[in-house]
Amino acid sequence: MRLRNRTTILMLVFYTLTLSGQDTWYGTMSGMHFMYNPAYTGSSGLPAMNISCYSFLPGNNFALRSGYASFDTYSPGLHGGAGLWLCDDMLGEIMNDFRAGASYAYHLQAGRDLFFNAGLTASVVHRGIKTGAVILPGDIDPFYGFQGTQSEYITDGAVTAFDIGTGITFAKGEWYGGVSVMHLTQPWLSESHQNNDRIRRLYTVSAGTSFSNRNGEFSLNPSVALLAQDDNVIIYLGTEALYRSLMGGVAFWHAVSGFTAAEPSLGWDTGLAKIILSYSYVLAGGDTAIKGTAIVKAGLSICFNN
């Protein structure tokens, strides 16, 4: 009975995170801005590299993990920013969604401190399935459990698709904001073209600002974001505080069809490198089997300032 319950819960998690035509939500867009909106590419003005690792529902042993890496820079010769990003969602021991893309953003200075960016990203999406790790109900003997042989033949099911996205941003003084539409091609992630295997368009609105004291030792960076994809809407509110090299933050996010979570974070920022650890805890919503920790993130950001 325990094996049956764990299998049922795992199937529900797979459906929620991968089969509903929705992107994985990482609890924040920090360090991943130009994957969600290509117009942010090169916005820092410096070559920057971001690496992040995520663990989802770690207390339930579902082996749901993700890795993200990106590099972007501003180039005067390109009149904007260019960058590369990749993300691998490892959905247990059976399935993974790998995405990689290149982004470009044209930067336009419309005033002394007013800037507009327009960006485009092109990417590939690959869904891989380890058929040897799939266990069907017919593979389990009621008395002896799994016997190591599959009762049915399962095809490979690997699919690779092309995708594009676009967005615009503005920045005036310490304020910034942007809107984007991702997955314009709405790629299929199965050869059977079932409705729930198609990635739906993702609409994102984000904004933020920065406040600092006169000597610059302390700064506060609040931000908000709204993400809408198919029938799911995520609202994010957060802020980061930096005092000299010590950084701390708190955020709250709510998925209309799922969780409400709080996310404290702590890090070290030297200006050239930033290390951050964040922890999302489920406050409400979700199944009783997956209460507690929602997401744990460890991130590294490096600016190559010459």
Side-chain angles (χ1 to χ4, degrees), residues 59-119:
N60 293 272
N61 298 318
F62 290 151
L64 305 176
R65 304 178 299 273
S66 289
Y68 171 85
S70 68
F71 175 83
D72 70 310
T73 185
Y74 174 80
S75 172
L78 296 175
H79 302 286
L84 300 171
W85 59 269
L86 60 87
C87 182
D88 193 9
D89 296 333
M90 293 158 279
L91 309 170
E93 304 299 330
I94 298 175
M95 183 185 302
N96 81 293
D97 286 349
F98 177 81
R99 309 182 187 191
S103 300
Y104 170 76
Y106 180 79
H107 294 196
L108 173 67
Q109 184 172 1
R112 188 180 67 176
D113 61 349
L114 177 62
F115 297 86
F116 290 96
N117 298 356

Side-chain angles (χ1 to χ4, degrees), residues 130-240:
K130 296 175 61 177
T131 57
V134 177
I135 302 176
L136 300 176
D139 304 333
I140 303 175
D141 186 277
F143 298 101
Y144 300 102
F146 180 58
Q147 299 300 297
T149 59
Q150 292 181 329
S151 60
E152 300 179 29
Y153 175 74
I154 303 173
T155 59
D156 185 8
V159 174
T160 302
F162 175 75
D163 197 11
I164 58 175
T166 187
I168 59 174
T169 63
F170 79 91
K172 181 175 177 57
E174 302 299 328
W175 295 83
Y176 68 89
V179 296
S180 66
V181 183
M182 307 303 290
H183 310 308
L184 291 175
T185 65
Q186 298 191 87
W188 297 96
L189 293 183
S190 73
E191 295 179 353
S192 61
H193 285 194
Q194 297 183 18
N195 187 56
N196 57 10
D197 287 339
R198 193 175 194 184
I199 303 180
R200 300 301 179 180
R201 290 193 177 98
L202 172 64
Y203 302 90
T204 303
V205 180
S206 58
T209 187
S210 178
F211 305 99
S212 59
N213 60 359
R214 291 184 178 181
N215 58 19
E217 287 189 338
F218 176 81
S219 64
L220 192 65
N221 307 288
S223 62
V224 299
L226 175 69
L227 300 89
Q229 188 174 33
D230 201 14
D231 60 349
N232 191 38
V233 177
I234 296 174
I235 302 169
Y236 171 89
L237 302 170
T239 186
E240 291 183 353

Side-chain angles (χ1 to χ4, degrees), residues 240-260:
E240 291 183 353
L242 177 65
Y243 177 70
R244 295 183 177 176
S245 296
L246 183 63
M247 183 182 66
V250 63
F252 296 91
W253 55 267
H254 172 68
V256 173
S257 61
F259 305 110
T260 297

